[in-house]
Amino acid sequence: MSTVHAQADPEITLENRNLSAGKPYPLGATVATNGVNFALFSANATKVVLCIFDEFGLNEQQICLTQKTRQIWHGFIEGITAGTLYGYRVYGPFEPLLGHRFNHHKLLLDPYAKQLLGGLEPNDANYGYVLDSNESDLSFCKIDNAPFMPKCVVIDDSALKQKPINRPNIPLEKTIIYEAHVKGFSVLNHEVDDDVKGTFAGLASKSAIQYLSQLGVNCIELLPIHSFFNEPFLLEKQLSNYWGYNSIGFFAPNPSYLSGDTVAEFREMVDTFHEANIEVILDVVYNHTAEGNRLGPTLSFRGIDNASYYRLVSNDQRLYINDTGCGNTFNSNHPQVLQLIMDSLRYWVEVMGVDGFRFDLASCLGRETYGFDPGCGFFDALSQDPVLCQVKLIAEPWDIGPGGYQLGNYPIAFSEWNDRYRDTMRRFWRGDNGMLPEFARRFHGSSDFFEHHGRNPSASINFITSHDGFTLNDLVSYQHRHNLANGEDNRDGHHENLSHNYGVEGETDNPDILNIRSRQQRNLLTTLMLSQGVPMLLSGDEMGHSQQGNNNAYCQDNRICWIDWQNIDWSLVEFTAELIKVRKRFPILCHREFIHQPEAQYDNGFIWYSRHGEPMAKRQWSEFEARTLAVVLTSKTQPPHQHPKALLLLLNADEKSHQFVLPVIDGFNQWQPLINTQQLNNADIEELLEQSKVKVAITALDDAATDDNKQPSFACSHQLTLLGRSLMLFHACH
């Protein structure tokens, strides 16, 4: 049932305040010494009214912005200060068939607002049309929604702009990404003060920084922190959008992540991470907004200039192009919308200090009217921008639109989430047939996708799990999704997860099942950290975190998603930290260029071996049921006065145990154990090696195993038995 509220008289003006023309740039609310400049873009509006509220968000007073320069409405209000609450009412035609949805009865958020106060209260008044009207001929809604809307806050960020940013400047190939949720990471941490749990301050607390530093990651990637709203269908189910992929404010941090009343808390968090030599990357959602489809609420862009801000169906402009699956698609092809995105990105870099971005559904941003184009306007704007071309740029290289899957097709400035890596490593360790060639390509850095136009292995963001899907623990504990808590009868989320439960679905106390699950988690983590490319670790995977089999927990703002700091597998944490130390210790694991056949002995190189200690022959790569493999990685001489080094990785993805013969490489001495997933200590492994010696072919590094007819020489080596689904890592020096 709708409630009618009185609307402020549009003819009322602020008393004792002087309105002057002001300037069209910068857009948004800009504080000056004697007032505030307001500027708002709308190409199709007939009138723009600035609404000023008291400190409680009440007592609305209005000023009409009469100046218009190149479709930007602007005015300077003398006497207004930082902290003032405001919004807009925008007049124009309500003609959905022509793409126009103006409704001056709706208070609208400034797209450039840098802080929001209050939340969005569900109410019929938030819709620009009468809810029970005919969908093909929507009725204009005259109910005022101001009582139910958050208010924009005028921010003076001059002090933040002047504050130095001490960036770690970690090379991309040496970056180790930790994907985390602001609230979920700290809300249950008993070592974080109660008043900052689940906030930016909690994420940057002493205990959190200490944990991440000891783990060894050097980059934290945060799920969306831009202001976002809950979708109406979630509220009906008494759920909420936990992940935050429903942005409404591209400059304003989500209010619930602030422990206080100032956005400087975000910058303080970034500075704290930088002091710990940890970079900060933001997951950003510029592909759609929280206003949803044609029947969604009018909150900001829709009411300011629907035809400019959104991509509409050309022959029926009531409808939105929905390449995102979220109801609408932001129109990044429009120059003013593109400017909004670019201004937002620069703000988070120059003022808030972040080090890069991960672009959600990035194919939407690269799609011109004729389809995806690596040379589109958005990518060109990024590549030439003197600020943004220097930060880390990561694409989620797909959307649901036509031709949306574009893995490997992004410009050189981008790295990309590599889902082919994810799926291959899951299938290999699950024991699927015919996986050896694909495993080798992904482990090598996916050069088949990325080695073109000067791109390097760091173009591949390798991951086993992410926020979207099973956690690592659940990947080896559940055969099927268990998403009933989402209220969609378990129909949502990925159907095929390439997972395995090893005999029991979910939790068990069977020691044999627990052992193999433990090994599989360690196998996958080890593979991730040893592969060429940039590893991304999902927060909680190193602790054994479970989401109870929910593989689409976007709406679970509760203990399903929150990290349980009381029940951590500390042995897995220590194992992961050791893996990260190994990755940092051996530069060959994060090489700047793709490594191919070594041209000289002891040059950087990969050599693949069978479990018999012999170089892989061409026919062995095509053995359908083969699930064992070994690889030797070698590095050049490391200054000062260091010898060439080699790493040997033995992999057994079969369910049965197999004997491995360690390769003999001319010039390298005895292999020393580094990592194993059988949880043996190094002394036991060395003893096992000494107990067994066999004859094996010798291969020099410059003799690569490509010629099946080459006659090798032989020498004495060692052999080891690897349990089913386990691995071992060794190193040796020349």
Side-chain angles (χ1 to χ4, degrees):
M1 186 74 178
S2 300
T3 303
V4 178
H5 293 266
Q7 181 191 329
D9 186 342
E11 299 304 321
I12 294 176
T13 60
L14 288 171
E15 296 179 357
N16 301 319
R17 303 278 169 78
N18 294 324
L19 170 65
S20 58
K23 300 177 181 179
Y25 296 99
L27 287 153
T30 305
V31 177
T33 56
N34 59 336
V36 177
N37 190 83
F38 293 90
L40 179 75
F41 160 76
S42 180
N44 295 293
T46 58
K47 180 180 178 181
V48 172
V49 174
L50 173 68
C51 306
I52 302 295
F53 298 84
D54 65 19
E55 60 183 318
F56 305 106
L58 305 173
N59 298 321
E60 176 181 347
Q61 300 183 70
Q62 301 183 351
I63 297 180
C64 184
L65 300 183
T66 58
Q67 298 296 316
K68 184 180 179 183
T69 304
R70 295 191 296 275
Q71 301 179 336
I72 296 174
W73 303 74
H74 54 93
F76 184 88
I77 315 299
E78 186 177 344
I80 296 291
T81 62
T84 298
L85 305 184
Y86 74 102
Y88 287 101
R89 296 184 186 275
V90 181
Y91 291 68
F94 183 80
E95 299 174 343
L97 286 171
L98 300 178
H100 301 308
R101 293 174 178 261
F102 294 99
N103 188 331
H104 61 274
H105 298 281
K106 308 306 168 187
L107 183 73
L108 305 173
L109 300 176
D110 181 1
Y112 278 77
K114 295 173 181 174
Q115 184 174 0
L116 300 183
L117 181 66
L120 175 67
E121 297 182 28
N123 194 278
D124 292 0
N126 293 324
Y127 294 81
Y129 64 96
V130 178
L131 287 184
D132 58 359
S133 60
N134 189 323
E135 183 179 337
S136 62
D137 186 19
L138 297 178
S139 299
F140 186 69
C141 177
K142 296 182 180 181
I143 307 173
D144 178 27
N145 74 331
F148 313 108
M149 284 289 289
K151 308 302 184 291
C152 305
V153 185
V154 175
I155 294 296
D156 182 0
D157 57 10
S158 57
L160 290 178
K161 290 179 178 177
Q162 296 170 8
K163 189 178 181 182
I165 302 173
N166 299 313
R167 302 183 187 278
N169 292 319
I170 298 168
L172 182 56
E173 69 275 4
K174 294 183 179 180
T175 301
I176 301 169
I177 300 173
Y178 188 80
E179 189 194 30
H181 188 280
V182 171
K183 180 177 182 179
F185 185 80
S186 69
V187 70
L188 295 181
N189 190 341
H190 63 281
E191 294 185 1
V192 175
D193 293 340
D194 289 342
D195 58 343
V196 299
K197 286 182 176 179
T199 68
F200 298 126
L203 186 61
S205 62
K206 182 179 179 181
S207 63
I209 295 294
Q210 183 179 26
Y211 172 82
L212 293 172
S213 296
Q214 291 177 349
L215 182 63
V217 295
N218 55 22
C219 178
I220 186 165
E221 181 178 304
L222 301 179
L223 267 67
I225 60 89
H226 289 167
S227 291
F228 61 89
F229 291 154
N230 294 308
E231 295 89 337
F233 76 89
L234 287 179
L235 296 175
E236 291 174 2
K237 300 174 184 178
Q238 297 184 323
L239 297 171
S240 62
N241 191 322
Y242 171 71
W243 286 350
Y245 289 93
N246 205 36
S247 298
I248 194 66
F250 299 126
F251 292 79
N254 195 52
S256 67
Y257 297 157
L258 294 171
S259 64
D261 58 1
T262 171
V263 298
E265 179 180 330
F266 179 90
R267 173 61 189 274
E268 292 166 1
M269 176 198 71
V270 172
D271 289 343
T272 302
F273 276 116
H274 285 173
E275 290 172 5
N277 203 42
I278 298 173
E279 294 185 330
V280 178
I281 288 177
L282 298 185
D283 195 334
V284 289
V285 187
Y286 296 111
N287 56 77
H288 76 282
T289 79
E291 292 184 301
N293 64 15
R294 65 192 182 281
L295 300 178
T298 296
L299 309 171
S300 179
F301 309 98
R302 175 173 282 144
I304 294 172
D305 193 348
N306 184 70
S308 294
Y309 279 109
Y310 292 112
R311 294 178 181 173
L312 307 178
V313 176
S314 59
N315 60 353
D316 187 351
Q317 296 187 68
R318 292 179 307 129
L319 308 179
Y320 294 81
I321 293 173
N322 188 19
D323 292 338
T324 65
C326 300
N328 64 61
T329 303
F330 212 45
N331 188 15
S332 58
N333 298 129
H334 190 288
Q336 204 67 49
V337 180
L338 176 59
Q339 180 184 340
L340 168 69
I341 296 173
M342 299 297 291
D343 288 347
S344 169
L345 292 170
R346 276 191 297 269
Y347 173 76
W348 291 102
V349 173
E350 294 185 300
V351 179
M352 291 303 191
V354 304
D355 305 287
F357 304 94
R358 180 264 190 189
F359 294 90
D360 179 64
L361 300 181
S363 291
C364 284
L365 301 172
R367 186 177 282 109
E368 301 285 359
T369 55
Y370 50 82
F372 180 85
D373 185 352
C376 74
F378 174 67
F379 294 154
D380 286 347
L382 274 179
S383 64
Q384 63 78 42
D385 188 280
V387 173
L388 300 177
C389 71
Q390 299 184 58
V391 303
K392 292 179 170 67
L393 303 174
I394 300 171
E396 182 183 38
W398 53 77
D399 64 18
I400 68 168
Y405 188 77
Q406 294 291 335
L407 180 68
N409 292 332
Y410 278 72
I412 189 172
F414 278 85
S415 296
E416 303 174 34
W417 271 28
N418 189 346
D419 63 325
R420 284 287 294 271
Y421 177 93
R422 175 199 65 196
D423 293 350
T424 296
M425 297 312 172
R426 290 184 178 192
R427 293 184 61 200
F428 175 79
W429 282 112
R430 190 173 65 171
D432 289 12
N433 289 326
M435 292 305 299
L436 295 191
E438 182 72 359
F439 174 90
R441 284 190 285 267
R442 303 302 144 236
F443 187 86
H444 176 257
S446 297
S447 60
D448 52 337
F449 284 108
F450 299 112
E451 192 177 17
H452 59 82
H453 298 100
R455 303 186 78 184
N456 297 322
S458 57
S460 177
I461 303 297
N462 299 330
F463 64 105
I464 305 296
T465 60
S466 69
H467 66 274
D468 186 6
F470 278 153
T471 67
L472 185 62
N473 185 314
D474 291 354
L475 186 67
V476 299
S477 303
Y478 292 90
Q479 202 88 357
H480 309 286
R481 62 192 176 190
H482 294 264
N483 298 354
L484 285 174
N486 296 353
E488 298 183 43
D489 297 325
N490 207 39
R491 295 190 302 268
D492 62 308
H494 300 294
H495 175 69
E496 175 53 76
N497 298 280
L498 306 175
S499 61
H500 202 307
N501 64 20
Y502 302 99
V504 174
E505 185 75 354
E507 295 184 6
T508 181
D509 56 4
N510 184 311
D512 293 333
I513 295 176
L514 291 175
N515 283 337
I516 192 170
R517 288 178 178 178
S518 176
R519 287 205 305 278
Q520 286 289 60
Q521 290 180 73
R522 286 165 166 77
N523 291 335
L524 289 161
L525 287 169
T526 304
T527 306
L528 176 66
M529 290 301 166
L530 299 186
S531 298
Q532 298 294 301
V534 178
M536 186 186 79
L537 177 67
L538 173 63
S539 174
D541 275 0
E542 80 283 8
M543 308 176 186
H545 175 65
S546 171
Q547 292 179 172
Q548 303 170 27
N550 193 320
N551 74 347
N552 189 34
Y554 75 103
C555 56
Q556 299 299 323
D557 188 2
N558 50 48
R559 290 178 178 269
I560 290 177
C561 287
W562 301 343
I563 301 298
D564 183 1
W565 291 87
Q566 298 294 325
N567 295 288
I568 290 177
D569 183 349
W570 286 107
S571 66
L572 188 58
V573 174
E574 293 169 0
F575 180 85
T576 307
E578 187 61 31
L579 285 174
I580 293 174
K581 288 179 182 177
V582 168
R583 183 172 181 86
K584 292 179 177 179
R585 175 182 170 186
F586 293 94
I588 190 64
L589 296 175
C590 46
H591 203 261
R592 289 178 57 89
E593 308 293 336
F594 281 103
I595 303 170
H596 294 295
Q597 186 61 42
E599 297 178 358
Q601 197 169 21
Y602 313 129
D603 200 352
N604 296 324
F606 273 68
I607 303 181
W608 297 95
Y609 290 87
S610 72
R611 64 183 175 87
H612 304 294
E614 300 171 346
M616 284 286 286
K618 293 179 181 178
R619 58 176 174 77
Q620 291 174 301
W621 285 110
S622 59
E623 291 180 359
F624 187 63
E625 296 184 358
R627 299 183 182 90
T628 61
L629 195 61
V631 59
V632 172
L633 297 83
T634 59
S635 64
K636 294 179 179 179
T637 302
Q638 301 294 318
H641 312 300
Q642 293 186 15
H643 298 294
K645 295 179 180 179
L647 292 172
L648 165 64
L649 179 62
L650 309 179
L651 304 154
N652 180 16
D654 201 348
E655 61 182 9
K656 301 180 295 184
S657 298
H658 286 285
Q659 284 191 334
F660 280 72
V661 176
L662 275 61
V664 175
I665 300 179
D666 187 26
F668 282 92
N669 297 321
Q670 184 175 358
W671 295 109
Q672 301 293 322
L674 277 175
I675 297 287
N676 77 90
T677 58
Q678 297 182 195
Q679 296 180 297
L680 297 171
N681 61 51
N682 288 346
D684 290 338
I685 295 175
E686 291 173 356
E687 183 177 346
L688 290 171
L689 286 174
E690 289 301 320
Q691 292 174 357
S692 177
K693 295 185 178 181
V694 294
K695 184 181 290 187
V696 65
I698 300 176
T699 301
L701 298 186
D702 55 354
D703 287 338
T706 56
D707 186 354
D708 294 347
N709 299 317
K710 185 175 181 64
Q711 297 298 317
S713 57
F714 291 88
C716 190
S717 185
H718 306 274
Q719 68 180 14
L720 274 173
T721 298
L722 265 66
L723 295 178
R725 300 198 169 96
S726 66
L727 61 77
M728 288 189 181
L729 177 68
F730 300 83
H731 78 106
C733 290
H734 179 58

